[in-house]
Amino acid sequence: MASSSSTSSSHAKRYRVFTSFHGPDVREGFLSHLHTHFESKGITTFNDQGMERGQTIKPELDKAIRESRVLIVVLSKDYASSSWCLDELVEIFNCKEAQGQTVIPIFYKVDPSDVKKQRGDFGRAFEKTCEGKSKEVKQGWSKALADVATIAGEHSINSDNEAKMIQKIATDVSEKLNATPSRDFEDMVGLEAHLRNLYSLLHLESDDVKMIGIWGPAGIGKTTISRALYNQLSSSFQLSCFMGNLKGSCKSTIGVDGHKSQLSLQNQLLSEILDQKDMRVYHLGAIKEWLHDQRVLIVLDDVDDLEQLEVLAKELSWFGSGSRIIVTTEDKQILKAHGIHNIYHMDFPSKEEALEMLCRSAFKQSSVPDGFEELANKVAEFCGYLPLGLSVVGSSLRGQSKHEWELQLSRIETSLDRKTENILRVGYDRLLKEDQSLFLHIACFFNNDNVDHVSSLLADSHDVEIGLKTLAEKSLVHTNGSIVMHYLLQKLGIQIVRDQSDEPGKRKFLLEVKEIRDVLENETGTGSVIGISLDKSTIGNDHHVSVGKRAFEGMRNLRLLRIYENPDHLVEEARGLFMDILAGKVVDFSNARKFGAEAKLQIPEDMEYLSPLTLFHWDFYPGKSLPPGFQPDRLVELHMPFSNLEKLWGGIERLPNLKSIDLNRSQCLKEIPNLLNATNLETLNLEYCLSLVELPSSIRNLHKLKKLKMDGCKKLRDIPTNINLASLEEVEMTGCSQLSSFPDFSMNIRELRVGGTKIEEIPSSIRNLHKLELLNMYNCQKLRVIPTNINLPSLEVFSVNCCSRLASFPDISSNITKLDLGNTKIKDVPTSVVRCWSRLEWLDIGSRSLERLTHVPPSVRVLHANGCVSLKRVCCSFPNETKRLSFYNCIQLDEESRRRIIQQSIQGEILLPGKEIPAEFTHKATGNSITIPLASGTFSASSRFKACILLSPIEHCLYQDISCRLRSKGDGTIHSVSTAAWLSNMPSWSKHLFIFSGDLFPQQNRCHEVDVTISEITFEFSCGDDSETEDSCDDKIIECGVEIMTEEAEGSSSSQVDTFETEISKSQVDNFETEISSSSEVEYDGGNNTDGDGDEDNEAEGFNLSQDENIKTSKDTGFRSWLRKLGLKRKR
């Protein structure tokens, strides 16, 4: 029977939850508490109280199940004694199959295996209920019970606190409801029918990997349907990603390497699905490498090229068991060519459905008002029943009289040539002139741009807030922080601009490279032009644009100038530039072939005029100065990275609108102008301006400045002091190698990076920085003094890595969570730290001066002691929650310390020097694989294993990826586990042991039975380094060992460790110390890498990049960090 404590509503899904249960077992206790929690979270459920019980399921219950979003089944001891309950369960699975609702089983004091196989007390109750029933009814009930028992749910036997279990269930249900908001799509006509058909293609009950297609014409609703489907399903998958707007993403360009575009697509997918914004892909095997063992849901929306599928989802084997890939496209042939045979055709709606779509858009109701029947039918017919056209035209007619409908119908009838653009133009033509102008700005310049950014740039000509509201009401854009316009509407806008004149110089916007070349070379621009947007990567390496001396003179109304280089085409050529800068060479961007900018766009030295711009964006600007007479008073954004500029303008200019200046990597820039009047400036980026010597005192007037970025300004010596900028939160001066004074800019600063400077001491005035959260002083080799007896209340991340003269432990804040002391002279962790630093979670104590480690705060979860060549004794223990213990190249560890480390029972991995697999690993083998026999009854779904591999010495490498694949007899993959060994770019001088543990079976099987017929399991280990090649390093694995852990044994070990024989001579130790010492003297390259982002798991893998970027033989790692493209933060 079903129950609830809330009243239904009138929405399409009236109830959030339907609960099926046996009342005498749970109603007065467990269920009443669960409903109380539901009610507190605003979750409405169906109420069946007062309903008369009968022999068959009531139509009201049937309807309630269909109109609920989450279906909960409370399986108790006597659940199967009720035919009513069993009928409910059958109907629940019928609805799940048809509509895709979420089903959550709760096994209340009953074993899932008893439910699945109908045995024990549960089975006896079931058999009694089946007496006198037909074979078909019994089989239907039995199948429903078996199906519900295979769904991962809550198990009361596994919980020692029923109250906590109830709270967890309520929270999980709330999250599932929030993850699939029904109101987003409830007004879409025909949605349920579409979803029902798609669920039948997806076969979600199957563990096979499946790929389906959604095919239909532009504007038919493929994106909306796939988005609704994604919203319903995404919470049921380990990882999910909706990759939209793929149209044109593989469009080839003359002179541009298509391989880079392919890498960019893979990088986009992995960045989104793994939620890693700084990730960088270097080979086309990356998707398979990351996702082959993950159950993923991926929607590839608007595919228009077979190459996109080849790059993003080439084979089913790229994805883990149970994955689903959904592809939407206008071209059925693409799906067939890729071997996708399960294709759902999104056909045009019926006449009735099209009329309802029009009515919902025009009248905000599902039926036609009296008097509009004939007009509405004709409009729907002339729109070709295209959903997007119906929506746009309907919105444009909303609130209009019958007479206005007749006038508009006459226009559609006479001008319509049955093409989508003509249909969509109706909405545009009915806009006011100022709204039409904003529409064209978005279509040509600002699609997918940030709302605030657009509002700032157009503030002098448009009321963007009101205009966007109008466009959204007319279904021409939608906003959610960003402005999004359908590509058909964008195409319409661009076509409208083209139609303004046959002469490009007389149009409002110039977008195509050929047209821009003609206008700039032939000086044919006029006052009509208000925006130019040129992607220089589309010019091609064998072509160029020569700007005429008076090219901009006729374009007096030009306000938006954007000449940019697509970053996806820069990475390979950036490598050479990085090496040149690191070597201290001066690079001439105007003549050198750097970043694909070789003479692509040439300007005369005496270019005479440039109109007052609001947006001045010009990557690799080749001139040494701006055109004479340029007036910056209208500037909102000045974005000129990699320019050849030596200065901007002289004197004090009016800059009332200027919010952002970005001149990063303008290596010839010697001075920045007086910014006294730039009182609204929020961001100032001068990174790697190698010729810049001073920061002018006029910045003291920039009280709205939030970010000051000056990394890599190697000649910077002078900075203003004793100023307090009220809004300044982030200062980055890493790599300003001549800077000796500690920045004193603001008492409100949150993040301060001054690594690689000549700063010798942190002043005591730092005690006033109460909001400081991150302080990075990496590679400040002259730093000796840190004030004591202060406690910065907000400081969480602190790095003094490679501060080679620092010998005292920095007692600066007891709130630190991440502390990097690598390559210092610090010899020990004081007992006061153990006692007071209760929040410390990440600690790098890798100092060659460290001789013993006796104290570590129990809160530490990641410990790096890499390169501690003098470390002999480790006397401390570590909690089970520890995620990493790394003693790489700690070559002097004594036997007792090694034994203590190896026997630590932690959740994560352990790395330390070793000669052979320890004796506690009962199964051993030479090479990278081992097969272990399994006796029946010796393992369960919750069994775990502990593995150890012996690695041969490794060259310079940041980390080693380690993976373990578990296979049953017959090559059936059971599970896979991935982890990493952190090597800190040091060469190893001995063999090393790497120890880690994992689940024997996938986590989702814990509540289910496992295959008891498994007689043996093969463990296959593999490893690979952080290079960009796809080559395996499996030959580095000398031996491997495995121990199957019992619940009693897990967490403890009494095995003895074999005697360890150090394989290094004293001379090798000396050489090793020398190399570490010399590596810290390499000039800093500018990486910012001790950023506290609050992600414990990710930081544990991505935090300590700093020391790695100063090893001479591994500058490539520094290059990637320098680009901020290094994807080290991994989700497993």
Side-chain angles (χ1 to χ4, degrees):
M1 60 187 72
S3 175
S4 176
S5 57
S6 302
T7 306
S8 68
S9 67
S10 59
H11 292 146
K13 290 288 187 210
R14 290 193 295 167
Y15 314 107
R16 295 195 166 196
V17 172
F18 179 96
T19 312
S20 177
F21 61 93
H22 184 249
D25 288 350
V26 296
R27 185 193 293 275
E28 293 183 358
F30 174 82
L31 196 66
S32 63
H33 294 305
L34 180 61
H35 283 165
T36 299
H37 277 275
F38 281 160
E39 188 173 1
S40 69
K41 294 179 179 292
I43 298 174
T44 57
T45 55
F46 174 73
N47 189 343
D48 73 342
Q49 295 202 15
M51 182 178 291
E52 184 179 344
R53 302 294 181 259
Q55 295 301 313
T56 59
I57 187 168
K58 287 283 186 181
E60 295 95 323
L61 284 175
D62 187 357
K63 184 178 180 182
I65 293 171
R66 283 187 282 106
E67 294 182 352
S68 297
R69 294 174 59 199
V70 174
L71 308 173
I72 294 178
V73 183
V74 183
L75 294 146
S76 55
K77 184 181 69 171
D78 290 327
Y79 182 90
S81 67
S82 168
S83 60
W84 182 286
C85 288
L86 294 173
D87 284 340
E88 274 184 359
L89 187 61
V90 171
E91 183 60 26
I92 282 171
F93 275 93
N94 288 338
C95 287
K96 180 181 185 295
E97 180 68 24
Q99 299 180 186
Q101 287 120 308
T102 299
V103 175
I104 301 176
I106 300 172
F107 301 99
Y108 187 75
K109 299 181 180 179
V110 65
D111 193 318
S113 61
D114 288 347
V115 175
K116 181 178 181 180
K117 297 184 178 182
Q118 295 100 57
R119 66 188 182 190
D121 291 341
F122 190 91
R124 285 186 285 275
F126 176 73
E127 290 298 329
K128 186 173 181 179
T129 307
C130 290
E131 291 176 1
K133 303 296 182 182
S134 68
K135 180 180 179 181
E136 290 75 14
V137 170
K138 182 177 179 181
Q139 287 178 342
W141 288 348
S142 180
K143 182 180 184 302
L145 288 170
D147 288 345
V148 77
T150 59
I151 299 175
E154 293 297 328
H155 199 334
S156 66
I157 297 177
N158 291 341
S159 175
D160 57 359
N161 188 319
E162 186 170 295
K164 288 185 177 179
M165 184 181 77
I166 290 173
Q167 186 174 11
K168 180 180 183 298
I169 293 170
T171 300
D172 289 346
V173 169
S174 177
E175 289 176 353
K176 282 181 167 58
L177 290 168
N178 291 333
T180 57
S182 62
R183 287 190 297 272
D184 289 356
F185 303 97
E186 65 181 6
D187 287 333
M188 183 176 176
V189 178
L191 175 64
E192 287 193 6
H194 287 306
L195 293 180
R196 191 181 309 119
N197 293 328
L198 286 167
Y199 273 107
S200 68
L201 289 178
L202 286 168
H203 294 290
L204 294 171
E205 73 282 359
S206 171
D207 287 332
D208 294 336
V209 180
K210 291 190 178 296
M211 198 177 299
I212 73 165
I214 302 177
W215 163 57
I220 200 69
K222 301 183 298 299
T223 298
T224 304
I225 291 295
S226 59
R227 176 70 73 178
L229 185 63
Y230 175 84
N231 280 14
Q232 284 198 3
L233 295 179
S234 58
S235 63
S236 301
F237 287 77
Q238 291 171 305
L239 298 172
S240 60
C241 170
F242 189 100
M243 196 166 176
N245 199 25
L246 283 170
K247 182 180 286 290
S249 60
C250 279
K251 184 178 180 182
S252 60
T253 305
I254 297 175
V256 175
D257 183 4
H259 183 69
K260 297 175 184 176
S261 297
Q262 295 173 346
L263 290 176
S264 175
L265 277 178
Q266 288 211 355
N267 190 82
Q268 182 183 346
L269 173 62
L270 288 174
S271 295
E272 291 187 22
I273 201 167
L274 300 173
D275 193 23
Q276 297 297 321
K277 294 181 180 179
D278 295 329
M279 192 168 186
R280 173 56 54 186
V281 167
Y282 295 96
H283 60 82
L284 293 177
I287 290 179
K288 181 177 182 180
E289 177 182 318
W290 281 90
L291 303 181
H292 73 278
D293 57 352
Q294 300 290 328
R295 183 172 182 267
V296 301
L297 172 66
I298 298 175
V299 176
L300 303 177
D301 184 48
D302 213 4
V303 170
D304 69 341
D305 194 317
L306 179 61
E307 183 182 346
Q308 294 162 344
L309 294 184
E310 294 291 324
V311 171
L312 296 172
K314 185 174 184 179
E315 298 175 5
L316 298 178
S317 62
W318 283 17
F319 311 99
S321 174
S323 292
R324 295 294 180 269
I325 315 300
I326 301 167
V327 181
T328 78
T329 182
E330 299 170 28
D331 190 350
K332 185 179 181 180
Q333 186 58 37
I334 291 176
L335 300 174
K336 295 173 68 176
H338 197 61
I340 300 175
H341 303 297
N342 292 319
I343 301 173
Y344 179 59
H345 182 208
M346 283 277 294
D347 206 350
F348 285 84
S350 66
K351 178 181 178 180
E352 293 73 22
E353 288 174 328
L355 195 60
E356 184 177 351
M357 290 178 185
L358 178 66
C359 290
R360 287 185 181 275
S361 183
F363 305 113
K364 290 292 186 179
Q365 61 187 54
S366 59
S367 59
V368 184
D370 292 339
F372 281 84
E373 293 86 350
E374 184 178 354
L375 288 169
N377 274 289
K378 285 186 177 180
V379 170
E381 183 179 347
F382 286 137
C383 286
Y385 299 158
L386 183 70
L388 182 60
L390 293 165
S391 176
V392 172
V393 173
S395 295
S396 71
L397 293 170
R398 188 179 302 153
Q400 302 298 314
S401 67
K402 185 177 177 181
H403 176 66
E404 289 169 321
W405 271 66
E406 290 171 342
L407 292 175
Q408 188 60 31
L409 179 62
S410 175
R411 183 188 182 285
I412 295 174
E413 189 173 0
T414 57
S415 65
L416 186 65
D417 62 355
R418 306 295 180 184
K419 292 187 178 179
T420 303
E421 289 176 3
N422 288 339
I423 296 174
L424 298 178
R425 178 149 188 157
V426 173
Y428 170 82
D429 287 342
R430 291 188 64 82
L431 293 171
L432 297 175
K433 185 174 292 186
E434 54 266 32
D435 295 326
Q436 287 184 343
S437 175
L438 180 59
F439 177 91
L440 296 180
H441 274 81
I442 294 169
C444 297
F445 239 87
F446 297 121
N447 197 12
N448 297 307
D449 208 336
N450 180 271
V451 172
D452 292 337
H453 183 230
V454 176
S455 298
S456 297
L457 290 173
L458 301 183
D460 65 340
S461 58
H462 295 77
D463 189 327
V464 175
E465 183 179 358
I466 293 177
L468 285 177
K469 184 178 180 180
T470 300
L471 295 181
E473 288 174 348
K474 304 297 183 184
S475 300
L476 296 173
V477 299
H478 67 269
T479 59
N480 185 17
S482 296
I483 304 171
V484 181
M485 177 181 287
H486 191 281
Y487 89 94
L488 283 177
L489 293 167
Q490 183 177 22
K491 184 179 177 182
L492 169 70
I494 293 172
Q495 186 59 49
I496 290 172
V497 171
R498 286 200 189 103
D499 292 342
Q500 289 171 349
S501 175
D502 292 334
E503 300 178 35
K506 294 182 179 180
R507 301 172 187 165
K508 283 190 174 184
F509 296 98
L510 298 177
L511 307 173
E512 299 294 331
V513 61
K514 290 182 180 179
E515 297 172 350
I516 294 172
R517 177 190 295 154
D518 290 342
V519 170
L520 294 183
E521 290 185 344
N522 299 321
E523 302 177 351
T524 57
T526 69
S528 297
V529 180
I530 59 176
I532 298 175
S533 180
L534 172 62
D535 179 357
K536 287 196 291 182
S537 64
T538 63
I539 297 175
N541 292 332
D542 298 327
H543 301 79
H544 68 274
V545 176
S546 296
V547 180
K549 179 179 178 180
R550 295 183 174 86
F552 294 98
E553 190 170 310
M555 294 183 278
R556 298 281 170 170
N557 295 312
L558 183 66
R559 294 293 177 264
L560 306 168
L561 179 59
R562 182 169 61 195
I563 299 175
Y564 65 99
E565 191 86 28
N566 191 323
D568 293 331
H569 300 290
L570 307 183
V571 176
E572 292 301 322
E573 294 166 70
R575 195 178 309 281
L577 174 62
F578 173 76
M579 293 302 182
D580 288 346
I581 290 178
L582 197 62
K585 298 179 181 179
V586 176
V587 178
D588 186 347
F589 291 104
S590 62
N591 297 319
R593 184 180 183 274
K594 300 298 178 186
F595 289 85
E598 180 186 16
K600 282 186 176 181
L601 198 148
Q602 303 167 348
I603 64 172
E605 293 184 4
D606 57 348
M607 188 169 70
E608 294 183 352
Y609 176 82
L610 193 58
S611 62
L613 300 170
T614 56
L615 172 64
F616 194 170
H617 179 164
W618 195 323
D619 295 350
F620 300 95
Y621 180 80
K624 295 182 179 179
S625 61
L626 300 178
F630 171 69
Q631 298 296 319
D633 55 298
R634 292 192 178 186
L635 265 181
V636 175
E637 180 178 330
L638 180 67
H639 187 89
M640 303 182 75
F642 299 98
S643 76
N644 213 36
L645 287 167
E646 293 182 359
K647 70 173 187 176
L648 291 174
W649 53 76
I652 302 176
E653 294 283 355
R654 291 183 63 252
L655 303 167
N657 304 305
L658 189 58
K659 289 192 172 185
S660 174
I661 296 178
D662 187 349
L663 298 166
N664 81 83
R665 292 163 178 81
S666 296
Q667 63 163 3
C668 299
L669 188 69
K670 297 177 180 178
E671 61 180 80
I672 59 174
N674 191 308
L675 298 175
L676 183 65
N677 292 327
T679 53
N680 288 304
L681 190 67
E682 296 176 357
T683 302
L684 179 58
N685 187 348
L686 303 170
E687 290 180 323
Y688 297 94
C689 292
L690 303 181
S691 302
L692 195 63
V693 176
E694 66 175 351
L695 187 63
S697 59
S698 60
I699 71 161
R700 67 177 66 250
N701 206 42
L702 307 181
H703 288 293
K704 291 187 178 180
L705 188 68
K706 297 177 181 178
K707 295 182 180 181
L708 175 61
K709 305 175 74 172
M710 302 191 69
D711 288 345
C713 294
K714 295 185 177 182
K715 292 185 179 180
L716 182 70
R717 295 176 180 273
D718 301 322
I719 59 175
T721 57
N722 298 320
I723 60 177
N724 186 19
L725 301 179
S727 302
L728 188 61
E729 295 183 347
E730 297 181 26
V731 173
E732 300 179 8
M733 290 185 163
T734 301
C736 296
S737 53
Q738 300 301 311
L739 184 67
S740 57
S741 58
F742 194 86
D744 184 14
F745 291 152
S746 172
M747 294 177 61
N748 296 312
I749 197 165
R750 295 183 182 276
E751 298 183 7
L752 177 60
R753 297 173 177 88
V754 287
T757 63
K758 287 186 176 180
I759 294 174
E760 297 184 12
E761 66 175 299
I762 299 176
S764 58
S765 60
I766 196 175
R767 69 177 69 247
N768 297 320
L769 304 185
H770 298 296
K771 296 182 179 180
L772 186 65
E773 298 172 0
L774 181 149
L775 177 58
N776 185 347
M777 301 197 67
Y778 162 69
N779 201 34
C780 291
Q781 297 186 27
K782 293 191 175 183
L783 182 67
R784 295 174 179 271
V785 180
I786 295 179
T788 57
N789 298 322
I790 63 173
N791 188 19
L792 297 175
S794 303
L795 188 64
E796 294 184 350
V797 181
F798 185 37
S799 173
V800 287
N801 191 293
C802 287
C803 295
S804 54
R805 300 186 184 186
L806 185 65
S808 59
F809 194 94
D811 188 9
I812 194 171
S813 173
S814 60
N815 296 304
I816 291 177
T817 60
K818 299 176 178 68
L819 180 63
D820 189 351
L821 306 175
N823 297 308
T824 62
K825 289 187 176 180
I826 295 172
K827 295 184 177 181
D828 200 359
V829 179
T831 55
S832 60
V833 171
V834 179
R835 185 171 60 251
C836 301
W837 289 37
S838 60
R839 298 187 62 202
L840 186 63
E841 298 176 355
W842 199 103
L843 174 63
D844 187 333
I845 193 68
S847 167
R848 61 183 182 275
S849 301
L850 187 69
E851 296 181 356
R852 55 187 291 155
L853 188 61
T854 56
H855 308 290
V856 174
S859 57
V860 169
R861 297 295 177 261
V862 175
L863 175 68
H864 284 181
N866 296 346
C868 295
V869 293
S870 301
L871 181 63
K872 297 179 180 179
R873 297 201 63 191
V874 176
C875 306
C876 47
S877 298
F878 302 91
N880 178 261
E881 295 83 3
T882 303
K883 296 181 178 180
R884 177 182 297 132
L885 296 177
S886 186
F887 293 90
Y888 182 64
N889 276 335
C890 294
I891 51 181
Q892 298 294 332
L893 278 173
D894 60 28
E895 181 180 347
E896 181 181 350
S897 297
R898 289 191 302 275
R899 182 185 300 110
R900 179 186 293 272
I901 294 169
I902 290 172
Q903 293 180 355
Q904 295 293 320
S905 177
I906 67 171
Q907 292 180 358
E909 63 267 7
I910 298 173
L911 178 67
L912 77 165
K915 180 182 178 182
E916 61 184 8
I917 303 296
E920 67 182 76
F921 293 91
T922 50
H923 304 279
K924 305 178 186 179
T926 301
N928 70 323
S929 68
I930 183 171
T931 299
I932 298 175
L934 291 178
S936 178
T938 61
F939 62 93
S940 67
S942 60
S943 293
R944 290 176 58 79
F945 71 90
K946 189 175 183 180
C948 178
I949 59 175
L950 180 64
L951 296 169
S952 62
I954 297 168
E955 298 298 324
H956 284 290
C957 180
L958 187 60
Y959 63 90
Q960 283 276 320
D961 278 326
I962 308 293
S963 63
C964 174
R965 181 186 179 206
L966 284 69
R967 293 189 297 105
S968 62
K969 192 173 184 179
D971 198 35
T973 298
I974 301 173
H975 190 28
S976 60
V977 177
S978 298
T979 182
W982 205 257
L983 310 182
S984 301
N985 255 353
M986 303 176 187
S988 58
W989 290 89
S990 74
K991 301 172 185 176
H992 276 73
L993 295 174
F994 184 73
I995 302 169
F996 64 101
S997 59
D999 295 312
L1000 202 58
F1001 299 96
Q1003 188 74 21
Q1004 58 264 35
N1005 287 344
R1006 280 187 177 272
C1007 291
H1008 305 149
E1009 294 182 341
V1010 299
D1011 186 356
V1012 296
T1013 65
I1014 296 176
S1015 60
E1016 63 181 35
I1017 293 181
T1018 298
F1019 292 77
E1020 292 181 351
F1021 301 94
S1022 61
C1023 69
D1025 60 29
D1026 60 321
S1027 67
E1028 298 173 19
T1029 66
E1030 299 182 48
D1031 298 334
S1032 170
C1033 301
D1034 294 349
D1035 57 346
K1036 296 289 185 183
I1037 300 176
I1038 302 172
E1039 298 177 3
C1040 59
V1042 172
E1043 175 191 7
I1044 305 298
M1045 303 168 70
T1046 63
E1047 292 185 7
E1048 293 79 11
E1050 190 171 352
S1052 65
S1053 175
S1054 59
S1055 303
Q1056 297 298 311
V1057 183
D1058 292 345
T1059 302
F1060 172 84
E1061 297 180 14
T1062 303
E1063 301 180 24
I1064 306 174
S1065 67
K1066 179 65 169 66
S1067 62
Q1068 286 176 313
V1069 174
D1070 293 338
N1071 290 337
F1072 179 69
E1073 293 187 13
T1074 302
E1075 178 163 357
I1076 294 177
S1077 178
S1078 63
S1079 73
S1080 66
E1081 297 172 3
V1082 177
E1083 189 171 21
Y1084 181 76
D1085 69 16
N1088 293 327
N1089 33 60
T1090 314
D1091 296 355
D1093 61 14
D1095 189 334
E1096 178 181 317
D1097 292 338
N1098 290 351
E1099 278 303 348
E1101 299 202 25
F1103 174 65
N1104 186 19
L1105 307 185
S1106 52
Q1107 69 190 67
D1108 312 316
E1109 296 172 3
N1110 285 291
I1111 307 298
K1112 292 181 178 178
T1113 59
S1114 188
K1115 292 173 183 173
D1116 185 62
T1117 301
F1119 155 72
R1120 282 177 284 166
S1121 180
W1122 177 70
L1123 284 179
R1124 302 176 187 269
K1125 305 277 189 182
L1126 181 60
L1128 288 178
K1129 296 182 179 180
R1130 300 192 173 187
K1131 286 191 176 182
R1132 299 175 185 158

